[in-house]
C-alpha cells in the first residue's frame, strides 16, 4: 500500500511544480556596448546584474552583469501612466493607492535606474505631501531609496522634504534658518513656492503676521503657474491674516472701503473664485471681500 502511494505522491508534486506560475517579467531594453539593443523581459535585478527572458513566455532565464551592458531601460507600464494621469488630475487619494500597488509589483526590479517601482514610490510621497498628510510622508520617506532616481526635478523635490518635516514637527526656528539658506540659491518656481509657504507657516506661528503675509504672497505668485495647490492654501492664509487686521476691519465699515490691505484682500478673494479654488467655493468668512 505504501509503495503504491509513493509514486502517486511524487507525481502529484511534479504536477504542482509544473502548475506553479512563472515569476512575472517586466518589459525592457538592454543596450550592448556596441549600441545594439534588444527587447527583453526582466525577472529580477540587483545593482550588479539582471535576470531576464528573451521572449515573454520563454522558460529559459538568462543572467547578465550590468558591467557587460551599456544600459538597461524598463518600459513605462500602462498602470504607471494611468496613475500619473490621476496625479495630474489632482485625484491624489486615488493616485496614492495606484502608486502603492505599482511600487509593490515592480519591487523585483527596484534597483534599476528610473524604474517604475521607484518612480511610483516618489509620486506616492508627493501624494502624501499634496494631501497634507505629513506623518504619512515621513513614514514613507523613511523607507524610500532615492538612488535609482535620475531626473533632476525628482532629485530636487527630495531636497524639499526637509522643509515639510520641519512643518510636521513644528520646528519653526529651524524652518526659518532653512529658508534663509535657500534664499541664497536660484530655485525653480515649484521649489520657491514650497520654501516661501513653509517659511510663512513658521512666521505666522512665531507671531509675525506681516512677515508671514509677504512670504505667503511669494508662495502664491510662484505656485500659481505650477500646481496651484500651494497658491490655494496661501490665498486662504492671506485672507485669514488680513481679515484679522484692524485696518482692514475699519476699512470694511466705511462706505468707500478704501485701504491698500483691503484692496489686496479683495484681489486675492477674487483670484480664488476665478481660478485658484478649482471649483471650490471661497470659505464663507472671507466672502465679505467679494462684495
Amino acid at each position: 500500500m505504501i509503495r503504491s502511494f509513493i509514486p502517486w505522491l511524487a507525481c502529484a508534486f511534479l504536477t504542482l511544480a509544473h502548475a506553479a506560475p512563472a515569476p512575472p517579467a517586466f518589459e525592457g531594453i538592454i543596450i550592448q556596448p556596441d549600441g545594439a539593443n534588444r527587447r527583453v523581459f526582466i525577472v529580477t535585478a540587483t545593482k550588479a546584474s539582471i535576470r531576464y527572458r528573451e521572449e515573454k513566455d520563454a522558460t529559459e532565464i538568462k543572467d547578465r552583469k550590468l558591467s557587460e551592458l551599456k544600459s538597461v531601460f524598463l518600459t513605462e507600464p500602462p498602470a504607471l501612466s494611468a496613475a500619473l494621469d490621476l496625479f495630474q488630475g489632482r485625484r491624489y487619494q486615488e493616485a496614492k493607492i495606484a502608486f502603492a500597488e505599482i511600487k509593490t509589483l515592480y519591487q523585483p526590479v527596484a534597483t534599476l535606474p528610473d524604474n517604475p517601482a521607484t518612480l511610483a514610490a516618489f509620486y506616492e510621497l508627493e501624494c502624501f505631501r499634496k494631501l497634507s498628510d505629513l506623518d504619512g510622508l515621513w513614514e514613507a520617506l523613511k523607507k524610500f531609496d532615492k538612488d535609482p532616481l535620475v531626473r533632476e526635478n525628482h532629485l530636487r523635490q527630495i531636497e524639499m522634504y526637509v522643509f515639510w518635516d520641519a512643518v510636521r514637527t513644528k520646528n519653526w526656528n529651524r524652518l526659518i534658518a532653512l529658508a534663509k539658506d535657500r534664499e541664497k540659491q536660484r530655485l525653480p518656481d515649484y521649489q520657491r513656492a514650497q520654501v516661501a509657504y513653509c517659511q510663512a507657516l513658521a512666521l505666522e506661528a512665531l507671531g509675525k503676521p506681516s512677515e508671514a503675509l509677504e512670504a505667503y504672497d511669494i508662495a502664491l505668485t510662484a505656485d500659481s503657474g505650477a500646481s496651484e495647490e500651494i497658491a490655494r492654501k496661501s490665498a486662504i492664509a492671506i485672507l485669514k491674516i488680513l481679515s484679522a487686521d484692524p485696518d482692514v476691519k475699519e476699512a470694511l465699515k466705511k462706505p468707500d472701503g478704501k485701504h491698500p490691505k483691503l484692496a489686496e484682500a479683495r484681489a486675492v478673494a477674487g483670484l480664488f473664485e476665478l481660478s485658484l479654488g478649482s471649483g471650490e467655493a471661497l470659505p464663507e468668512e472671507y466672502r465679505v471681500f467679494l462684495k
Side-chain angles (χ1 to χ4, degrees), residues 4-187:
S4 63
F5 176 72
I6 290 175
W8 177 88
L9 187 61
C11 183
F13 275 123
L14 286 172
T15 302
L16 287 172
H18 285 299
F26 310 102
E27 185 177 348
I29 296 173
I30 57 174
I31 301 179
Q32 307 284 1
D34 63 1
N37 63 78
R38 178 183 179 87
R39 186 179 72 158
V40 296
F41 297 87
I42 302 172
V43 178
T44 59
T46 68
K47 292 183 178 181
S49 64
I50 59 170
R51 305 195 74 204
Y52 66 93
R53 302 187 189 114
E54 290 190 338
E55 301 295 337
K56 188 174 183 179
D57 299 321
T59 55
E60 182 184 4
I61 295 179
K62 297 188 175 183
D63 293 275
R64 290 291 295 274
K65 292 180 180 179
L66 292 178
S67 59
E68 299 173 351
L69 301 169
K70 186 175 182 180
S71 55
V72 178
F73 299 100
L74 283 163
T75 304
E76 181 175 298
L80 181 57
S81 300
L84 287 169
D85 285 342
L86 290 172
F87 183 83
Q88 295 298 333
R90 299 174 188 164
R91 295 161 63 180
Y92 300 122
Q93 188 60 45
E94 295 173 66
K96 179 166 68 72
I97 295 170
F99 287 130
E101 292 174 352
I102 296 165
K103 179 181 70 174
T104 300
L105 178 63
Y106 279 81
Q107 201 57 41
V109 291
T111 57
L112 293 176
D114 214 32
N115 69 83
T118 302
L119 290 175
F122 168 79
Y123 281 105
E124 182 186 31
L125 294 175
E126 282 294 274
C127 287
F128 279 119
R129 179 178 71 83
K130 288 178 177 292
L131 291 166
S132 299
D133 183 358
L134 299 185
D135 287 329
L137 171 61
W138 174 245
E139 289 302 316
L141 190 59
K142 287 193 291 186
K143 305 169 189 173
F144 180 72
D145 178 14
K146 72 174 183 178
D147 287 347
L149 291 180
V150 299
R151 306 180 199 187
E152 185 181 359
N153 62 315
H154 294 162
L155 293 168
R156 278 181 172 272
Q157 183 55 33
I158 296 298
E159 296 175 1
M160 286 291 98
Y161 292 144
V162 65
F163 285 86
W164 294 104
D165 188 52
V167 172
R168 180 185 70 89
T169 57
K170 296 181 170 57
N171 195 338
W172 305 126
N173 289 320
R174 178 170 180 255
L175 194 42
I176 296 296
L178 287 169
K180 285 184 178 179
D181 182 61
R182 288 285 172 157
E183 285 174 358
K184 304 170 187 175
Q185 304 175 24
R186 291 189 64 181
L187 301 174

